[in-house]
Amino acid sequence: MPEMNSAKQNRTKIPALGYAVLGLLQQKPSSGYDLRKIFSSTAMKTYSDSPGAIYPALRRLEKGGLIRGVIEEMSGLRRRQIFRLTPKGLSELRKWIQRPVKVEDLGRRDSDFMLRFAFSERVAGPAASIELLQSLAAAQSAFLPPLHQQLKTLGPLMPTSARLALEWGIQGSEAWLKWTQFAISAYEKERKGGTS
Amino acid sequence: MPEMNSAKQNRTKIPALGYAVLGLLQQKPSSGYDLRKIFSSTAMKTYSDSPGAIYPALRRLEKGGLIRGVIEEMSGLRRRQIFRLTPKGLSELRKWIQRPVKVEDLGRRDSDFMLRFAFSERVAGPAASIELLQSLAAAQSAFLPPLHQQLKTLGPLMPTSARLALEWGIQGSEAWLKWTQFAISAYEKERKGGTS
DNA sequence: TATGACATGTAATCTGTTACATGATTAG
DNA sequence: CTAATCATGTAACAGATTACATGTCATA
């Protein structure tokens, strides 16, 4: 086969939900139930709020030494385990956030990147956020041309609905690129007039 | 818990990859290898091109009576199994395409909907495409206000990068809404000046 | 005759979904 | 008292990833 996606990953890969948990725990030590509430009520609905996902994920992260849970016995005898990041967990989170964006990552606009970026400032500082945005911009500029190409060559042969779907691929990516510029300039403005 | 996502599904739920396969087979009977090439080379990279995903999926669909494979023995003795939709498969595909869009479906802009819409014209005709778009527009108009609300209340408390990520949620949805209008008007234009 | 594309598969493993189960505490 | 909410779990299962295995055919 010419070049199918193979990708040999070294084990211990953390899934998206795991990073979402790490990021939230860095912001505020929480129980599994706290996390479930966040995943079910806020804009982070992409991640599963089911106990069958959260609790096993917490145990995996704990076994990997990335978080540590302590049972809070204080007020009221309702058992409740609060998890916190360990230093190892923090460094793992930081490494994930600072990974450069590759063109292949851009397929889904909703994934991975936004989660990383959302956490970036808290975890690694504004400089890291800016770097991430620039890495994104670079990847994006390489992403669009092939799509235009596909539309030009295949578009006329496709049914209207299929062509329109492909056009969303383009329009959506362009909107995302605009957001990237917007975000970069927001950081530049902050740097000048900011609270520094 | 107030209202966590539970969702009791009746069995025989077909996963996204399954529908992608059904849609492609409706357009053109193909082998597993053909499908893999499509998933690895075209804009449909969201779906797995790995043999460990495709071949089991084909067998599941065949067991469910949605597709039927025949071994092509013609030219050259290189075995190659060509799959086609059965009538049941076609009707299942049509049912999936014609499902109305619900607000909860809108979380990820890249998912499900675009696949359904892309196939809609071929499988169920332009009228179905237009209906899908209108169903989408209705769901979208209910989707945006809560996001604006969240930004207004939580935004000022968030770090810049987290707020910008939330703003992408809004800008991206607005861009999608614009595409929806664009697509509807494209169909209207076609209906007037079209090949009818 | 060796390489690489064609073509199909399988086994181990991981993660998430679905659907229960359990018990403590608080509000009406 | 009873219903709802807090809080944690588990078992069965489905589907995807990873990695390997097998064999055919064309061409350089």
Side-chain angles (χ1 to χ4, degrees):
Chain A
M1 189 143 299
E3 249 198 87
M4 296 237 178
N5 315 335
S6 44
K8 325 230 172 212
Q9 299 277 143
N10 36 347
R11 223 16 348 83
T12 60
K13 216 198 68 181
I14 300 169
L17 178 62
Y19 285 115
V21 166
L22 289 180
L24 289 173
L25 291 184
Q26 194 269 334
Q27 288 181 26
K28 184 175 176 353
S30 310
S31 70
Y33 193 74
D34 293 336
L35 296 171
R36 290 186 65 207
K37 273 189 299 188
I38 290 168
F39 291 139
S40 71
S41 65
T42 71
M44 299 183 74
K45 290 210 216 298
T46 358
Y47 304 96
S48 172
D49 70 324
S50 96
I54 302 279
Y55 293 109
L58 285 169
R59 249 170 301 125
R60 278 198 302 275
L61 293 171
E62 188 165 38
K63 222 165 40 180
L66 304 176
I67 64 177
R68 212 181 54 249
V70 289
I71 289 147
E72 179 196 59
E73 297 172 77
M74 325 300 285
S75 58
L77 244 274
R78 188 146 58 182
R79 81 203 183 295
R80 198 178 123 85
Q81 200 175 4
I82 303 293
F83 293 91
R84 314 180 132 66
L85 279 196
T86 61
K88 187 178 169 192
L90 180 60
S91 94
E92 204 63 38
L93 181 61
R94 207 170 259 137
K95 252 173 36 196
W96 169 69
I97 285 170
Q98 294 177 337
R99 282 214 279 261
V101 180
K102 288 188 225 124
V103 190
E104 316 91 79
D105 302 336
L106 299 189
R108 328 132 267 300
R109 274 177 293 281
D110 299 316
S111 71
D112 203 61
F113 175 84
M114 280 298 161
L115 189 63
R116 286 207 271 156
F117 179 66
F119 290 140
S120 64
E121 189 170 327
R122 280 265 179 117
V123 175
S129 303
I130 292 168
E131 228 169 298
L132 245 188
L133 285 171
Q134 278 159 353
S135 172
L136 174 65
Q140 283 173 326
S141 65
F143 185 72
L144 270 164
L147 284 183
H148 276 110
Q149 192 48 40
Q150 258 197 66
L151 180 63
K152 206 162 37 173
T153 61
L154 298 173
L157 310 166
M158 299 166 91
T160 306
S161 75
R163 183 165 34 74
L164 284 167
L166 184 52
E167 275 177 51
W168 164 245
I170 292 171
Q171 292 183 22
S173 296
E174 282 170 350
W176 197 15
L177 183 55
K178 253 199 264 182
W179 172 85
T180 310
Q181 308 302 347
F182 165 77
I184 289 173
S185 75
Y187 266 111
E188 271 164 8
K189 233 171 272 169
E190 203 172 73
R191 184 166 279 195
K192 286 196 214 111
T195 346
S196 71
Chain B
M1 187 145 300
E3 249 198 86
M4 294 238 179
N5 315 334
S6 45
K8 325 234 169 204
Q9 301 277 145
N10 36 346
R11 221 23 343 84
T12 58
K13 217 199 66 181
I14 300 171
L17 178 62
Y19 284 115
V21 166
L22 289 179
L24 289 172
L25 291 183
Q26 193 269 337
Q27 290 182 25
K28 184 173 175 355
S30 309
S31 69
Y33 193 75
D34 292 336
L35 296 171
R36 290 186 64 206
K37 273 190 297 189
I38 290 168
F39 291 139
S40 72
S41 65
T42 71
M44 299 184 73
K45 288 209 217 297
T46 358
Y47 304 97
S48 173
D49 70 323
S50 97
I54 301 279
Y55 293 108
L58 285 169
R59 250 170 300 126
R60 278 197 302 275
L61 293 171
E62 188 165 38
K63 224 166 38 180
L66 304 176
I67 65 176
R68 211 180 56 247
V70 288
I71 289 147
E72 181 196 57
E73 297 172 76
M74 324 300 286
S75 60
L77 244 273
R78 186 147 57 181
R79 85 205 180 294
R80 201 179 121 83
Q81 200 176 4
I82 304 291
F83 293 91
R84 313 179 134 65
L85 279 197
T86 61
K88 187 177 169 194
L90 180 60
S91 94
E92 204 62 40
L93 182 60
R94 209 170 256 136
K95 253 175 34 197
W96 169 68
I97 285 170
Q98 294 177 337
R99 281 213 280 261
V101 180
K102 289 188 222 121
V103 190
E104 316 90 79
D105 302 336
L106 299 188
R108 324 133 267 303
R109 274 177 292 280
D110 299 317
S111 70
D112 203 61
F113 175 85
M114 280 299 159
L115 189 64
R116 286 207 271 156
F117 179 66
F119 290 141
S120 64
E121 189 170 327
R122 280 265 179 119
V123 175
S129 304
I130 292 168
E131 228 170 298
L132 245 188
L133 285 171
Q134 277 159 352
S135 171
L136 174 65
Q140 283 173 325
S141 66
F143 185 71
L144 270 165
L147 284 184
H148 276 110
Q149 192 49 41
Q150 256 197 67
L151 181 63
K152 205 160 42 169
T153 60
L154 297 172
L157 309 165
M158 299 166 92
T160 306
S161 75
R163 182 167 32 75
L164 284 168
L166 185 51
E167 275 176 51
W168 164 244
I170 291 170
Q171 293 184 22
S173 295
E174 282 169 351
W176 197 14
L177 183 56
K178 254 198 263 182
W179 172 87
T180 310
Q181 308 302 349
F182 166 77
I184 288 172
S185 75
Y187 266 111
E188 270 166 8
K189 232 172 272 171
E190 203 171 74
R191 182 164 280 195
K192 286 195 215 114
T195 345
S196 73

mmCIF file of all heavy atoms in Angstrom, chain B residues 23-60:
data_model
loop_
_atom_site.group_PDB
_atom_site.id
_atom_site.type_symbol
_atom_site.label_atom_id
_atom_site.label_comp_id
_atom_site.label_asym_id
_atom_site.label_seq_id
_atom_site.Cartn_x
_atom_site.Cartn_y
_atom_site.Cartn_z
ATOM 1 N N GLY B 23 -22.584 4.067 2.962
ATOM 2 C CA GLY B 23 -22.720 5.162 2.007
ATOM 3 C C GLY B 23 -21.818 4.980 0.809
ATOM 4 O O GLY B 23 -22.225 5.222 -0.338
ATOM 5 N N LEU B 24 -20.597 4.556 1.062
ATOM 6 C CA LEU B 24 -19.662 4.373 -0.050
ATOM 7 C C LEU B 24 -20.090 3.209 -0.937
ATOM 8 O O LEU B 24 -19.986 3.282 -2.167
ATOM 9 C CB LEU B 24 -18.248 4.146 0.489
ATOM 10 C CG LEU B 24 -17.600 5.389 1.112
ATOM 11 C CD1 LEU B 24 -16.286 5.029 1.790
ATOM 12 C CD2 LEU B 24 -17.362 6.468 0.053
ATOM 13 N N LEU B 25 -20.582 2.140 -0.321
ATOM 14 C CA LEU B 25 -21.002 0.982 -1.112
ATOM 15 C C LEU B 25 -22.233 1.317 -1.958
ATOM 16 O O LEU B 25 -22.407 0.761 -3.050
ATOM 17 C CB LEU B 25 -21.301 -0.215 -0.208
ATOM 18 C CG LEU B 25 -20.082 -0.834 0.485
ATOM 19 C CD1 LEU B 25 -20.498 -2.052 1.286
ATOM 20 C CD2 LEU B 25 -18.995 -1.194 -0.523
ATOM 21 N N GLN B 26 -23.058 2.219 -1.452
ATOM 22 C CA GLN B 26 -24.225 2.609 -2.247
ATOM 23 C C GLN B 26 -23.762 3.340 -3.513
ATOM 24 O O GLN B 26 -24.315 3.154 -4.584
ATOM 25 C CB GLN B 26 -25.148 3.500 -1.418
ATOM 26 C CG GLN B 26 -26.536 3.713 -2.021
ATOM 27 C CD GLN B 26 -26.609 4.938 -2.933
ATOM 28 O OE1 GLN B 26 -25.811 5.857 -2.823
ATOM 29 N NE2 GLN B 26 -27.569 4.923 -3.842
ATOM 30 N N GLN B 27 -22.731 4.145 -3.361
ATOM 31 C CA GLN B 27 -22.215 4.873 -4.515
ATOM 32 C C GLN B 27 -21.548 3.937 -5.516
ATOM 33 O O GLN B 27 -21.601 4.176 -6.719
ATOM 34 C CB GLN B 27 -21.222 5.939 -4.063
ATOM 35 C CG GLN B 27 -21.880 7.083 -3.337
ATOM 36 C CD GLN B 27 -20.882 8.148 -2.944
ATOM 37 O OE1 GLN B 27 -19.836 8.298 -3.558
ATOM 38 N NE2 GLN B 27 -21.220 8.895 -1.902
ATOM 39 N N LYS B 28 -20.885 2.915 -4.976
ATOM 40 C CA LYS B 28 -20.094 2.050 -5.854
ATOM 41 C C LYS B 28 -19.706 0.791 -5.094
ATOM 42 O O LYS B 28 -19.023 0.887 -4.074
ATOM 43 C CB LYS B 28 -18.821 2.787 -6.279
ATOM 44 C CG LYS B 28 -17.932 2.068 -7.267
ATOM 45 C CD LYS B 28 -16.823 3.035 -7.676
ATOM 46 C CE LYS B 28 -15.753 2.457 -8.586
ATOM 47 N NZ LYS B 28 -15.766 1.059 -8.915
ATOM 48 N N PRO B 29 -20.131 -0.381 -5.559
ATOM 49 C CA PRO B 29 -19.725 -1.632 -4.925
ATOM 50 C C PRO B 29 -18.197 -1.718 -4.876
ATOM 51 O O PRO B 29 -17.532 -1.378 -5.861
ATOM 52 C CB PRO B 29 -20.298 -2.696 -5.858
ATOM 53 C CG PRO B 29 -21.450 -2.032 -6.531
ATOM 54 C CD PRO B 29 -21.035 -0.594 -6.689
ATOM 55 N N SER B 30 -17.670 -2.141 -3.745
ATOM 56 C CA SER B 30 -16.217 -2.077 -3.557
ATOM 57 C C SER B 30 -15.725 -3.213 -2.672
ATOM 58 O O SER B 30 -16.479 -3.819 -1.927
ATOM 59 C CB SER B 30 -15.829 -0.766 -2.871
ATOM 60 O OG SER B 30 -16.397 0.348 -3.519
ATOM 61 N N SER B 31 -14.432 -3.428 -2.724
ATOM 62 C CA SER B 31 -13.787 -4.384 -1.830
ATOM 63 C C SER B 31 -13.319 -3.650 -0.577
ATOM 64 O O SER B 31 -13.287 -2.425 -0.535
ATOM 65 C CB SER B 31 -12.580 -4.986 -2.524
ATOM 66 O OG SER B 31 -11.580 -4.015 -2.679
ATOM 67 N N GLY B 32 -12.944 -4.419 0.424
ATOM 68 C CA GLY B 32 -12.404 -3.832 1.629
ATOM 69 C C GLY B 32 -11.182 -2.969 1.332
ATOM 70 O O GLY B 32 -11.018 -1.899 1.902
ATOM 71 N N TYR B 33 -10.398 -3.459 0.443
ATOM 72 C CA TYR B 33 -9.186 -2.719 0.084
ATOM 73 C C TYR B 33 -9.512 -1.381 -0.570
ATOM 74 O O TYR B 33 -8.868 -0.372 -0.287
ATOM 75 C CB TYR B 33 -8.327 -3.577 -0.847
ATOM 76 C CG TYR B 33 -6.930 -3.051 -1.026
ATOM 77 C CD1 TYR B 33 -5.998 -3.193 -0.007
ATOM 78 C CD2 TYR B 33 -6.550 -2.406 -2.198
ATOM 79 C CE1 TYR B 33 -4.709 -2.720 -0.164
ATOM 80 C CE2 TYR B 33 -5.262 -1.933 -2.356
ATOM 81 C CZ TYR B 33 -4.343 -2.086 -1.331
ATOM 82 O OH TYR B 33 -3.065 -1.611 -1.497
ATOM 83 N N ASP B 34 -10.500 -1.382 -1.436
ATOM 84 C CA ASP B 34 -10.952 -0.123 -2.052
ATOM 85 C C ASP B 34 -11.348 0.886 -0.974
ATOM 86 O O ASP B 34 -10.967 2.057 -1.037
ATOM 87 C CB ASP B 34 -12.174 -0.373 -2.942
ATOM 88 C CG ASP B 34 -11.836 -1.211 -4.174
ATOM 89 O OD1 ASP B 34 -10.658 -1.219 -4.578
ATOM 90 O OD2 ASP B 34 -12.760 -1.855 -4.716
ATOM 91 N N LEU B 35 -12.100 0.414 0.004
ATOM 92 C CA LEU B 35 -12.559 1.297 1.079
ATOM 93 C C LEU B 35 -11.376 1.835 1.869
ATOM 94 O O LEU B 35 -11.308 3.019 2.189
ATOM 95 C CB LEU B 35 -13.523 0.548 2.002
ATOM 96 C CG LEU B 35 -14.825 0.086 1.342
ATOM 97 C CD1 LEU B 35 -15.611 -0.828 2.271
ATOM 98 C CD2 LEU B 35 -15.676 1.284 0.930
ATOM 99 N N ARG B 36 -10.429 0.946 2.149
ATOM 100 C CA ARG B 36 -9.256 1.391 2.890
ATOM 101 C C ARG B 36 -8.542 2.514 2.151
ATOM 102 O O ARG B 36 -8.099 3.488 2.754
ATOM 103 C CB ARG B 36 -8.268 0.231 3.087
ATOM 104 C CG ARG B 36 -8.751 -0.835 4.059
ATOM 105 C CD ARG B 36 -7.652 -1.865 4.295
ATOM 106 N NE ARG B 36 -6.512 -1.257 4.940
ATOM 107 C CZ ARG B 36 -5.265 -1.693 4.855
ATOM 108 N NH1 ARG B 36 -5.004 -2.784 4.142
ATOM 109 N NH2 ARG B 36 -4.290 -1.086 5.460
ATOM 110 N N LYS B 37 -8.442 2.363 0.848
ATOM 111 C CA LYS B 37 -7.764 3.413 0.078
ATOM 112 C C LYS B 37 -8.515 4.737 0.172
ATOM 113 O O LYS B 37 -7.900 5.799 0.299
ATOM 114 C CB LYS B 37 -7.622 2.984 -1.394
ATOM 115 C CG LYS B 37 -6.370 2.161 -1.645
ATOM 116 C CD LYS B 37 -6.133 1.955 -3.122
ATOM 117 C CE LYS B 37 -7.288 1.146 -3.718
ATOM 118 N NZ LYS B 37 -7.014 0.727 -5.105
ATOM 119 N N ILE B 38 -9.837 4.650 0.113
ATOM 120 C CA ILE B 38 -10.616 5.881 0.229
ATOM 121 C C ILE B 38 -10.390 6.537 1.589
ATOM 122 O O ILE B 38 -10.140 7.736 1.685
ATOM 123 C CB ILE B 38 -12.115 5.589 0.021
ATOM 124 C CG1 ILE B 38 -12.368 5.220 -1.445
ATOM 125 C CG2 ILE B 38 -12.958 6.797 0.409
ATOM 126 C CD1 ILE B 38 -13.730 4.632 -1.713
ATOM 127 N N PHE B 39 -10.432 5.738 2.643
ATOM 128 C CA PHE B 39 -10.264 6.297 3.986
ATOM 129 C C PHE B 39 -8.848 6.804 4.237
ATOM 130 O O PHE B 39 -8.628 7.608 5.131
ATOM 131 C CB PHE B 39 -10.633 5.257 5.048
ATOM 132 C CG PHE B 39 -12.101 4.930 5.079
ATOM 133 C CD1 PHE B 39 -12.533 3.628 5.237
ATOM 134 C CD2 PHE B 39 -13.049 5.923 4.950
ATOM 135 C CE1 PHE B 39 -13.891 3.324 5.280
ATOM 136 C CE2 PHE B 39 -14.418 5.633 4.977
ATOM 137 C CZ PHE B 39 -14.829 4.330 5.137
ATOM 138 N N SER B 40 -7.901 6.302 3.477
ATOM 139 C CA SER B 40 -6.535 6.753 3.746
ATOM 140 C C SER B 40 -6.116 7.910 2.850
ATOM 141 O O SER B 40 -5.200 8.642 3.182
ATOM 142 C CB SER B 40 -5.549 5.593 3.596
ATOM 143 O OG SER B 40 -5.396 5.251 2.240
ATOM 144 N N SER B 41 -6.828 8.115 1.755
ATOM 145 C CA SER B 41 -6.319 9.112 0.806
ATOM 146 C C SER B 41 -7.219 10.323 0.622
ATOM 147 O O SER B 41 -6.745 11.395 0.285
ATOM 148 C CB SER B 41 -6.081 8.449 -0.553
ATOM 149 O OG SER B 41 -7.316 8.019 -1.091
ATOM 150 N N THR B 42 -8.520 10.182 0.835
ATOM 151 C CA THR B 42 -9.387 11.322 0.533
ATOM 152 C C THR B 42 -9.688 12.138 1.778
ATOM 153 O O THR B 42 -9.057 11.973 2.818
ATOM 154 C CB THR B 42 -10.717 10.841 -0.076
ATOM 155 O OG1 THR B 42 -11.482 10.211 0.946
ATOM 156 C CG2 THR B 42 -10.477 9.868 -1.196
ATOM 157 N N ALA B 43 -10.697 13.000 1.668
ATOM 158 C CA ALA B 43 -11.069 13.866 2.780
ATOM 159 C C ALA B 43 -11.709 13.081 3.916
ATOM 160 O O ALA B 43 -11.996 13.633 4.973
ATOM 161 C CB ALA B 43 -12.039 14.942 2.285
ATOM 162 N N MET B 44 -11.925 11.776 3.728
ATOM 163 C CA MET B 44 -12.580 10.979 4.755
ATOM 164 C C MET B 44 -11.579 10.335 5.711
ATOM 165 O O MET B 44 -11.773 9.223 6.181
ATOM 166 C CB MET B 44 -13.453 9.901 4.121
ATOM 167 C CG MET B 44 -14.544 10.477 3.251
ATOM 168 S SD MET B 44 -15.632 9.198 2.591
ATOM 169 C CE MET B 44 -16.568 8.734 4.046
ATOM 170 N N LYS B 45 -10.517 11.041 6.008
ATOM 171 C CA LYS B 45 -9.467 10.484 6.853
ATOM 172 C C LYS B 45 -9.941 10.274 8.291
ATOM 173 O O LYS B 45 -9.247 9.628 9.078
ATOM 174 C CB LYS B 45 -8.254 11.418 6.861
ATOM 175 C CG LYS B 45 -7.478 11.410 5.555
ATOM 176 C CD LYS B 45 -6.012 11.735 5.824
ATOM 177 C CE LYS B 45 -5.425 12.592 4.716
ATOM 178 N NZ LYS B 45 -5.399 11.973 3.403
ATOM 179 N N THR B 46 -11.085 10.851 8.632
ATOM 180 C CA THR B 46 -11.599 10.673 9.990
ATOM 181 C C THR B 46 -11.851 9.205 10.306
ATOM 182 O O THR B 46 -11.821 8.812 11.460
ATOM 183 C CB THR B 46 -12.937 11.404 10.174
ATOM 184 O OG1 THR B 46 -13.257 12.098 8.961
ATOM 185 C CG2 THR B 46 -12.863 12.365 11.327
ATOM 186 N N TYR B 47 -12.113 8.408 9.265
ATOM 187 C CA TYR B 47 -12.452 7.009 9.497
ATOM 188 C C TYR B 47 -11.223 6.134 9.340
ATOM 189 O O TYR B 47 -10.353 6.399 8.524
ATOM 190 C CB TYR B 47 -13.569 6.600 8.547
ATOM 191 C CG TYR B 47 -14.752 7.505 8.713
ATOM 192 C CD1 TYR B 47 -14.950 8.591 7.861
ATOM 193 C CD2 TYR B 47 -15.613 7.341 9.788
ATOM 194 C CE1 TYR B 47 -15.998 9.472 8.062
ATOM 195 C CE2 TYR B 47 -16.659 8.202 10.001
ATOM 196 C CZ TYR B 47 -16.856 9.273 9.136
ATOM 197 O OH TYR B 47 -17.880 10.137 9.362
ATOM 198 N N SER B 48 -11.215 5.091 10.144
ATOM 199 C CA SER B 48 -10.044 4.242 10.183
ATOM 200 C C SER B 48 -9.852 3.468 8.892
ATOM 201 O O SER B 48 -10.795 2.889 8.354
ATOM 202 C CB SER B 48 -10.179 3.251 11.336
ATOM 203 O OG SER B 48 -9.120 2.328 11.281
ATOM 204 N N ASP B 49 -8.637 3.468 8.414
ATOM 205 C CA ASP B 49 -8.323 2.688 7.220
ATOM 206 C C ASP B 49 -7.621 1.382 7.593
ATOM 207 O O ASP B 49 -7.126 0.684 6.727
ATOM 208 C CB ASP B 49 -7.409 3.488 6.295
ATOM 209 C CG ASP B 49 -6.019 3.638 6.886
ATOM 210 O OD1 ASP B 49 -5.926 3.799 8.102
ATOM 211 O OD2 ASP B 49 -5.029 3.593 6.132
ATOM 212 N N SER B 50 -7.593 1.056 8.874
ATOM 213 C CA SER B 50 -6.833 -0.130 9.269
ATOM 214 C C SER B 50 -7.638 -1.398 8.990
ATOM 215 O O SER B 50 -8.853 -1.428 9.167
ATOM 216 C CB SER B 50 -6.447 -0.041 10.736
ATOM 217 O OG SER B 50 -7.351 -0.747 11.534
ATOM 218 N N PRO B 51 -6.960 -2.444 8.541
ATOM 219 C CA PRO B 51 -7.653 -3.694 8.226
ATOM 220 C C PRO B 51 -8.395 -4.251 9.435
ATOM 221 O O PRO B 51 -9.448 -4.858 9.285
ATOM 222 C CB PRO B 51 -6.530 -4.631 7.788
ATOM 223 C CG PRO B 51 -5.282 -4.022 8.289
ATOM 224 C CD PRO B 51 -5.517 -2.555 8.359
ATOM 225 N N GLY B 52 -7.845 -4.022 10.603
ATOM 226 C CA GLY B 52 -8.474 -4.491 11.822
ATOM 227 C C GLY B 52 -9.775 -3.772 12.138
ATOM 228 O O GLY B 52 -10.527 -4.193 13.018
ATOM 229 N N ALA B 53 -10.044 -2.686 11.437
ATOM 230 C CA ALA B 53 -11.329 -1.997 11.598
ATOM 231 C C ALA B 53 -12.259 -2.326 10.430
ATOM 232 O O ALA B 53 -13.412 -2.674 10.622
ATOM 233 C CB ALA B 53 -11.120 -0.488 11.683
ATOM 234 N N ILE B 54 -11.726 -2.235 9.217
ATOM 235 C CA ILE B 54 -12.559 -2.398 8.014
ATOM 236 C C ILE B 54 -13.121 -3.807 7.881
ATOM 237 O O ILE B 54 -14.328 -3.987 7.733
ATOM 238 C CB ILE B 54 -11.738 -2.102 6.743
ATOM 239 C CG1 ILE B 54 -11.189 -0.676 6.779
ATOM 240 C CG2 ILE B 54 -12.604 -2.333 5.503
ATOM 241 C CD1 ILE B 54 -12.149 0.372 6.379
ATOM 242 N N TYR B 55 -12.265 -4.820 7.934
ATOM 243 C CA TYR B 55 -12.747 -6.161 7.629
ATOM 244 C C TYR B 55 -13.754 -6.670 8.664
ATOM 245 O O TYR B 55 -14.792 -7.232 8.283
ATOM 246 C CB TYR B 55 -11.570 -7.116 7.421
ATOM 247 C CG TYR B 55 -10.778 -6.764 6.173
ATOM 248 C CD1 TYR B 55 -9.519 -6.200 6.231
ATOM 249 C CD2 TYR B 55 -11.346 -6.959 4.917
ATOM 250 C CE1 TYR B 55 -8.821 -5.854 5.081
ATOM 251 C CE2 TYR B 55 -10.648 -6.618 3.754
ATOM 252 C CZ TYR B 55 -9.383 -6.065 3.845
ATOM 253 O OH TYR B 55 -8.707 -5.720 2.701
ATOM 254 N N PRO B 56 -13.489 -6.482 9.944
ATOM 255 C CA PRO B 56 -14.539 -6.854 10.906
ATOM 256 C C PRO B 56 -15.832 -6.071 10.689
ATOM 257 O O PRO B 56 -16.922 -6.624 10.822
ATOM 258 C CB PRO B 56 -13.914 -6.506 12.263
ATOM 259 C CG PRO B 56 -12.446 -6.605 12.021
ATOM 260 C CD PRO B 56 -12.235 -6.128 10.623
ATOM 261 N N ALA B 57 -15.723 -4.799 10.336
ATOM 262 C CA ALA B 57 -16.935 -3.998 10.107
ATOM 263 C C ALA B 57 -17.727 -4.565 8.939
ATOM 264 O O ALA B 57 -18.958 -4.675 9.002
ATOM 265 C CB ALA B 57 -16.553 -2.542 9.834
ATOM 266 N N LEU B 58 -17.035 -4.955 7.881
ATOM 267 C CA LEU B 58 -17.720 -5.544 6.730
ATOM 268 C C LEU B 58 -18.431 -6.834 7.133
ATOM 269 O O LEU B 58 -19.576 -7.076 6.738
ATOM 270 C CB LEU B 58 -16.714 -5.818 5.609
ATOM 271 C CG LEU B 58 -16.230 -4.590 4.838
ATOM 272 C CD1 LEU B 58 -15.049 -4.940 3.938
ATOM 273 C CD2 LEU B 58 -17.351 -3.979 4.008
ATOM 274 N N ARG B 59 -17.751 -7.635 7.929
ATOM 275 C CA ARG B 59 -18.400 -8.888 8.321
ATOM 276 C C ARG B 59 -19.612 -8.653 9.209
ATOM 277 O O ARG B 59 -20.617 -9.353 9.106
ATOM 278 C CB ARG B 59 -17.395 -9.827 9.002
ATOM 279 C CG ARG B 59 -17.089 -11.042 8.084
ATOM 280 C CD ARG B 59 -15.949 -11.875 8.590
ATOM 281 N NE ARG B 59 -14.757 -11.047 8.673
ATOM 282 C CZ ARG B 59 -14.015 -10.909 9.773
ATOM 283 N NH1 ARG B 59 -14.330 -11.544 10.871
ATOM 284 N NH2 ARG B 59 -12.953 -10.141 9.752
ATOM 285 N N ARG B 60 -19.508 -7.642 10.075
ATOM 286 C CA ARG B 60 -20.667 -7.319 10.917
ATOM 287 C C ARG B 60 -21.850 -6.895 10.060
ATOM 288 O O ARG B 60 -22.978 -7.356 10.259
ATOM 289 C CB ARG B 60 -20.321 -6.174 11.876
ATOM 290 C CG ARG B 60 -19.581 -6.596 13.111
ATOM 291 C CD ARG B 60 -19.651 -5.514 14.193
ATOM 292 N NE ARG B 60 -19.105 -4.227 13.744
ATOM 293 C CZ ARG B 60 -17.821 -3.894 13.790
ATOM 294 N NH1 ARG B 60 -16.928 -4.767 14.221
ATOM 295 N NH2 ARG B 60 -17.417 -2.698 13.409
#
